[in-house]
Amino acid sequence: MNILKLLDKLSNDKFFSTEASRLDAIKNMANFSSNVAIAAVPLGFGALISSSAKAENSSDLKITSTTLFDDKLIEALQLALTLEYLEDEYYRIGLDTSGLISSSDRTVFMQISKHETAHVAFLKSALNSLGETPVPKPTFDFTVSGNFSPFTDYNQFLVLAQAFEDTGVRAYKGQAGNVMGNKQILQAALQIHSVEARHASQVRRMRANKGWIELNHGGNMPEATYPVYAGEENVNQAGFNTATAFGPEAGSAAYDEILSGSDAATIAGLFIV
Amino acid sequence: MKNSIINVSNDRASLDTSRRNFLKISGAGLALIGLTLVGCEDDDTTIIDNKVFDLGSGDVGILNYAYALEQLEADFYTKVVNNFYSGISSKEKELFTDLYHHEVIHRDFFKAAISGATSSILPTLEFHYPNVDFNNRNSVLATAKALEDTGVAAYNGAGKYITNPDYLVIAGKIVSVEARHASAIRDLINPGSGDFSGDDVIDANGLDLAKEPKDIVMVASGFIKTPFTWKEQGIQ
């Protein structure tokens, strides 16, 4: 599946409904475990996956019942990979553009860039381990047809960096339910998710914002980024009013909201040619 | 001379108290307490009885675990904002007030959520900070960093034990805010560095720490006076 097809599917409300053709393509657990056995998996991911495969393989009943779930799992990983491709390329170009990032800010962006590169490699190996082909890297246009100039205007570079990181936090969170059937992948996804949150906080603070999101205010952000923050003003968590004690700013900031797969894909899609 | 003896005596009394607390909470090895008690039966440690709270099993155990950690963070920041270290900037005052608000909201959320689901809710815990100087910026920041990093690693490690997807999403909503806190605190300690997501917490795969409940409780127990067990996770 190419990236445009993936994004198209993600933008479709019926994305998470079952497709017979898709199910046919899903690896059953027998294939899955043999793939794992021969996969040359770098970076230690193989250990995670193989223990999972072993557990799943011990029960035929489980194999059947996890098939449909794997569809969502794979799509979640492909979406995550797409977002990581985007961030990785963005920071790489930024760091390679001489005169864009001041020397005092360079350390921060080198650290962030290092993590995004690692996330791309990690997610690719995860997908390979599951017997799936990682989506190829899309062609990005970070100017969005000339509407942004992040690589000549440092302020805009920071604006988009903040938008990407805050989007990443929400997007991973939105996939939690789709990956929770695979404990190893769930944990890895959580571990990436909190790194994105650390990045988001740092970039926000570099822009003289708080590290957290109060209401749906991105913090001195252009209107084009408003979809990134839509819904963040929520102060109702499982029926508990988080605004009661200290007001809606603190109540909303204490919780980051999820972003659906389709909303995350729409945001990423703006930057894909 | 007499005064000095009395003072010493008072000191010893307070040391005894903290030693007893230390025995109660030392390490994750609450199981060791029973053994320790055998060795000091003539002590006044018989207050440790069978009523030690167990966090429970399944999702309830996880919720009580999160509640314990949020109680700790809320308690710590309450102390910070009630006694700001000298020379604190208005910016840092604002930051710590935000953290105080967020953690109190988290704590009260779990109290409400658990109470709604079960009567087996963790009681209000007592805390102490034997090595923290609340008047000292470095000491407060270092403790805040440890607590926030611990919170992140705790939620990251506990997610896989949650069975209810709604609870998992709520945990996800909270953990990213803890990570935002950790990042900000780390940058205050070493501004402009890569420490906000430093190599001490993020590995070569770009993954943040994830720790098992047992390891988290071992770290946090240095602050927790009230003993509890979590037999399902081998903490007893």
Coordinates of all heavy atoms in Angstrom, one line a residue, chain B residues 138-190:
Chain B
N138 N 18.1 24.0 43.4 CA 18.7 22.7 42.8 C 18.1 21.5 43.4 O 17.8 20.5 42.7 CB 20.2 22.7 43.1 CG 20.9 23.7 42.3 OD1 20.4 24.3 41.3 ND2 22.2 24.1 42.7
S139 N 17.8 21.5 44.7 CA 17.2 20.3 45.4 C 15.8 20.1 44.9 O 15.4 19.0 44.6 CB 17.3 20.5 46.9 OG 16.7 19.4 47.5
V140 N 15.0 21.2 44.8 CA 13.6 21.0 44.3 C 13.6 20.6 42.9 O 12.8 19.7 42.5 CB 12.9 22.4 44.5 CG1 11.5 22.4 43.8 CG2 12.7 22.7 46.0
L141 N 14.4 21.2 42.0 CA 14.4 20.8 40.6 C 14.9 19.4 40.4 O 14.3 18.6 39.6 CB 15.4 21.7 39.8 CG 14.9 23.1 39.5 CD1 15.9 24.0 38.8 CD2 13.6 23.1 38.6
A142 N 15.9 18.9 41.2 CA 16.4 17.6 41.0 C 15.3 16.6 41.4 O 15.1 15.5 40.8 CB 17.6 17.4 41.9
T143 N 14.5 16.9 42.5 CA 13.5 16.0 43.0 C 12.3 16.0 42.0 O 11.8 14.9 41.6 CB 13.0 16.4 44.3 OG1 14.1 16.6 45.2 CG2 12.0 15.4 44.9
A144 N 12.0 17.2 41.4 CA 10.9 17.3 40.4 C 11.3 16.4 39.2 O 10.5 15.7 38.7 CB 10.7 18.7 40.0
K145 N 12.5 16.5 38.8 CA 13.0 15.8 37.6 C 12.8 14.3 37.9 O 12.3 13.5 37.0 CB 14.5 16.1 37.4 CG 15.1 15.3 36.3 CD 16.6 15.6 36.2 CE 17.4 14.5 35.6 NZ 18.9 14.8 35.6
A146 N 13.3 13.8 39.1 CA 13.2 12.4 39.4 C 11.7 12.0 39.4 O 11.4 10.9 38.9 CB 13.8 12.2 40.8
L147 N 10.9 12.8 40.0 CA 9.4 12.4 40.1 C 8.8 12.3 38.7 O 8.0 11.4 38.4 CB 8.7 13.4 41.0 CG 9.0 13.3 42.5 CD1 8.2 14.3 43.3 CD2 8.6 11.9 43.0
E148 N 9.1 13.3 37.9 CA 8.4 13.4 36.5 C 9.0 12.2 35.7 O 8.2 11.6 35.0 CB 8.6 14.7 35.9 CG 8.1 15.9 36.6 CD 6.5 15.9 36.6 OE1 5.9 15.1 35.9 OE2 6.0 16.8 37.4
D149 N 10.3 12.0 35.7 CA 10.8 10.9 34.9 C 10.3 9.6 35.4 O 10.0 8.7 34.6 CB 12.3 10.9 35.0 CG 13.0 11.9 34.1 OD1 12.4 12.4 33.2 OD2 14.2 12.3 34.4
T150 N 10.1 9.5 36.7 CA 9.6 8.2 37.3 C 8.1 8.1 36.8 O 7.7 6.9 36.5 CB 9.7 8.3 38.8 OG1 11.0 8.4 39.2 CG2 9.0 7.0 39.4
G151 N 7.4 9.1 36.8 CA 6.0 9.1 36.4 C 5.9 8.6 34.9 O 5.1 7.7 34.6
V152 N 6.7 9.1 34.1 CA 6.7 8.8 32.7 C 7.0 7.3 32.5 O 6.3 6.5 31.9 CB 7.7 9.6 31.8 CG1 7.9 9.1 30.4 CG2 7.3 11.1 31.8
A153 N 8.1 6.9 33.2 CA 8.5 5.4 33.1 C 7.5 4.5 33.7 O 7.3 3.4 33.2 CB 9.9 5.3 33.8
A154 N 6.8 5.0 34.7 CA 5.8 4.2 35.3 C 4.6 3.9 34.4 O 4.1 2.8 34.2 CB 5.3 4.8 36.6
Y155 N 4.1 5.0 33.8 CA 2.9 4.9 32.9 C 3.3 4.1 31.7 O 2.6 3.2 31.2 CB 2.4 6.2 32.5 CG 1.5 6.9 33.6 CD1 1.9 7.9 34.4 CD2 0.2 6.5 33.7 CE1 1.1 8.5 35.3 CE2 -0.7 7.0 34.6 CZ -0.2 8.1 35.4 OH -1.0 8.7 36.4
N156 N 4.5 4.3 31.2 CA 5.0 3.6 30.0 C 5.1 2.1 30.3 O 4.8 1.3 29.4 CB 6.3 4.1 29.5 CG 6.2 5.4 28.7 OD1 5.1 5.9 28.4 ND2 7.4 6.1 28.5
G157 N 5.5 1.8 31.5 CA 5.6 0.3 31.8 C 4.3 -0.3 32.2 O 4.2 -1.5 32.1
A158 N 3.3 0.5 32.7 CA 2.1 -0.1 33.2 C 1.0 -0.2 32.1 O 0.1 -1.0 32.3 CB 1.5 0.8 34.3
G159 N 1.2 0.5 31.0 CA 0.2 0.4 29.9 C -0.2 -1.0 29.5 O -1.4 -1.3 29.3
K160 N 0.8 -1.8 29.4 CA 0.5 -3.2 28.9 C -0.3 -4.0 29.9 O -0.9 -5.1 29.5 CB 1.8 -3.9 28.6 CG 2.7 -4.1 29.8 CD 4.0 -4.7 29.4 CE 5.0 -4.8 30.5 NZ 5.6 -3.5 30.9
Y161 N -0.4 -3.6 31.1 CA -1.3 -4.4 32.1 C -2.7 -3.9 32.1 O -3.5 -4.5 32.8 CB -0.7 -4.2 33.5 CG 0.7 -4.8 33.6 CD1 1.8 -4.0 34.0 CD2 1.0 -6.1 33.4 CE1 3.1 -4.5 34.1 CE2 2.3 -6.7 33.5 CZ 3.3 -5.8 33.8 OH 4.6 -6.3 33.9
I162 N -3.0 -2.8 31.4 CA -4.4 -2.3 31.4 C -5.2 -3.0 30.4 O -4.8 -3.2 29.2 CB -4.3 -0.8 31.1 CG1 -3.5 0.0 32.1 CG2 -5.8 -0.2 31.0 CD1 -3.3 1.5 31.8
T163 N -6.4 -3.5 30.8 CA -7.2 -4.2 29.9 C -8.4 -3.3 29.3 O -8.8 -3.6 28.2 CB -7.9 -5.4 30.6 OG1 -8.6 -5.0 31.7 CG2 -6.8 -6.4 31.1
N164 N -8.8 -2.4 30.0 CA -9.9 -1.5 29.6 C -9.3 -0.4 28.7 O -8.5 0.4 29.1 CB -10.6 -0.9 30.8 CG -11.8 0.0 30.4 OD1 -11.8 0.6 29.4 ND2 -12.8 0.0 31.2
P165 N -9.7 -0.4 27.4 CA -9.2 0.6 26.5 C -9.4 2.1 26.9 O -8.6 2.9 26.7 CB -9.9 0.4 25.2 CG -10.6 -0.9 25.3 CD -10.7 -1.2 26.8
D166 N -10.5 2.3 27.6 CA -10.8 3.7 28.1 C -9.7 4.1 29.1 O -9.3 5.3 29.1 CB -12.2 3.8 28.7 CG -13.3 3.5 27.6 OD1 -13.0 3.8 26.4 OD2 -14.4 3.1 28.0
Y167 N -9.4 3.2 30.0 CA -8.4 3.5 31.0 C -7.0 3.7 30.3 O -6.2 4.6 30.7 CB -8.2 2.4 32.0 CG -9.4 2.1 32.9 CD1 -9.6 0.9 33.5 CD2 -10.3 3.2 33.3 CE1 -10.7 0.7 34.4 CE2 -11.3 3.0 34.1 CZ -11.6 1.7 34.7 OH -12.6 1.5 35.5
L168 N -6.7 2.9 29.3 CA -5.5 3.1 28.6 C -5.3 4.5 28.0 O -4.3 5.1 28.1 CB -5.3 2.0 27.5 CG -4.1 2.1 26.7 CD1 -2.8 1.9 27.5 CD2 -4.1 1.0 25.5
V169 N -6.4 4.9 27.4 CA -6.4 6.3 26.7 C -6.2 7.3 27.8 O -5.4 8.3 27.6 CB -7.7 6.5 25.9 CG1 -7.8 8.0 25.5 CG2 -7.7 5.6 24.7
I170 N -6.9 7.2 28.9 CA -6.7 8.2 30.0 C -5.3 8.2 30.5 O -4.7 9.3 30.7 CB -7.7 7.8 31.2 CG1 -9.1 8.0 30.8 CG2 -7.3 8.7 32.4 CD1 -9.7 9.4 31.0
A171 N -4.7 7.0 30.7 CA -3.3 7.0 31.1 C -2.4 7.6 30.0 O -1.5 8.4 30.4 CB -2.9 5.5 31.3
G172 N -2.8 7.4 28.8 CA -2.0 8.1 27.7 C -2.1 9.6 27.7 O -1.2 10.3 27.5
K173 N -3.3 10.1 28.1 CA -3.6 11.5 28.2 C -2.7 12.1 29.3 O -2.4 13.3 29.2 CB -5.1 11.8 28.4 CG -6.0 11.5 27.3 CD -7.4 11.8 27.7 CE -8.4 11.7 26.5 NZ -9.7 12.3 26.8
I174 N -2.5 11.4 30.3 CA -1.8 11.9 31.5 C -0.3 11.7 31.3 O 0.5 12.7 31.6 CB -2.2 11.1 32.8 CG1 -3.7 11.5 33.1 CG2 -1.3 11.4 33.9 CD1 -4.2 10.7 34.3
V175 N 0.2 10.6 30.7 CA 1.6 10.4 30.7 C 2.3 11.4 29.8 O 3.4 11.9 30.1 CB 2.0 9.0 30.2 CG1 1.5 8.7 28.8 CG2 3.5 8.7 30.3
S176 N 1.6 11.9 28.7 CA 2.3 12.9 27.9 C 2.4 14.2 28.6 O 3.4 15.0 28.3 CB 1.6 13.0 26.5 OG 0.2 13.4 26.7
V177 N 1.5 14.5 29.5 CA 1.7 15.7 30.3 C 2.8 15.6 31.3 O 3.6 16.5 31.5 CB 0.3 16.1 31.0 CG1 0.5 17.3 31.9 CG2 -0.7 16.4 29.9
E178 N 3.0 14.4 31.8 CA 4.1 14.1 32.7 C 5.4 14.3 31.9 O 6.4 14.9 32.5 CB 4.0 12.7 33.3 CG 2.8 12.4 34.1 CD 2.6 13.1 35.4 OE1 3.5 13.8 35.8 OE2 1.5 13.0 36.0
A179 N 5.4 13.9 30.7 CA 6.6 14.0 29.9 C 6.9 15.4 29.5 O 8.1 15.9 29.5 CB 6.5 13.2 28.6
R180 N 5.8 16.2 29.3 CA 6.0 17.6 29.1 C 6.6 18.3 30.3 O 7.5 19.2 30.2 CB 4.7 18.3 28.7 CG 4.1 17.9 27.4 CD 2.7 18.5 27.2 NE 2.0 18.0 26.0 CZ 2.1 18.6 24.8 NH1 2.8 19.7 24.7 NH2 1.5 18.1 23.7
H181 N 6.1 17.9 31.5 CA 6.7 18.4 32.7 C 8.2 18.1 32.8 O 9.0 18.9 33.1 CB 6.0 17.8 33.9 CG 4.6 18.2 34.1 ND1 3.8 17.6 35.1 CD2 3.8 19.1 33.5 CE1 2.5 18.1 35.0 NE2 2.5 19.1 34.1
A182 N 8.5 16.8 32.6 CA 9.9 16.3 32.8 C 10.8 17.1 31.9 O 11.9 17.5 32.3 CB 9.9 14.8 32.4
S183 N 10.3 17.3 30.6 CA 11.1 18.1 29.7 C 11.4 19.5 30.2 O 12.6 20.0 30.1 CB 10.4 18.1 28.3 OG 11.0 19.0 27.4
A184 N 10.4 20.2 30.6 CA 10.5 21.6 31.1 C 11.5 21.6 32.3 O 12.4 22.5 32.4 CB 9.2 22.1 31.5
I185 N 11.3 20.7 33.2 CA 12.2 20.7 34.4 C 13.6 20.5 34.0 O 14.5 21.1 34.5 CB 11.7 19.6 35.4 CG1 10.3 20.0 36.0 CG2 12.7 19.4 36.5 CD1 10.3 21.1 37.0
R186 N 13.8 19.5 33.2 CA 15.2 19.2 32.7 C 15.8 20.4 32.0 O 17.0 20.6 32.1 CB 15.1 18.0 31.8 CG 14.9 16.7 32.5 CD 14.6 15.5 31.6 NE 15.0 14.2 32.2 CZ 16.1 13.6 32.1 NH1 17.1 14.1 31.3 NH2 16.4 12.5 32.7
D187 N 15.0 21.1 31.2 CA 15.6 22.3 30.6 C 15.9 23.4 31.5 O 16.8 24.2 31.3 CB 14.6 22.8 29.5 CG 15.3 23.8 28.6 OD1 16.3 23.4 27.9 OD2 14.8 24.9 28.5
L188 N 15.1 23.5 32.6 CA 15.4 24.5 33.6 C 16.8 24.2 34.3 O 17.5 25.1 34.6 CB 14.3 24.5 34.7 CG 13.0 25.2 34.4 CD1 12.1 25.2 35.6 CD2 13.3 26.7 34.0
I189 N 17.0 22.9 34.5 CA 18.3 22.5 35.1 C 19.5 22.7 34.2 O 20.5 23.2 34.7 CB 18.2 21.0 35.5 CG1 17.1 20.8 36.6 CG2 19.6 20.5 36.0 CD1 16.8 19.3 37.0
N190 N 19.3 22.4 32.9 CA 20.4 22.6 32.0 C 19.9 23.2 30.7 O 19.7 22.5 29.7 CB 21.0 21.3 31.7 CG 22.4 21.4 31.0 OD1 22.8 22.5 30.7 ND2 23.0 20.3 30.7

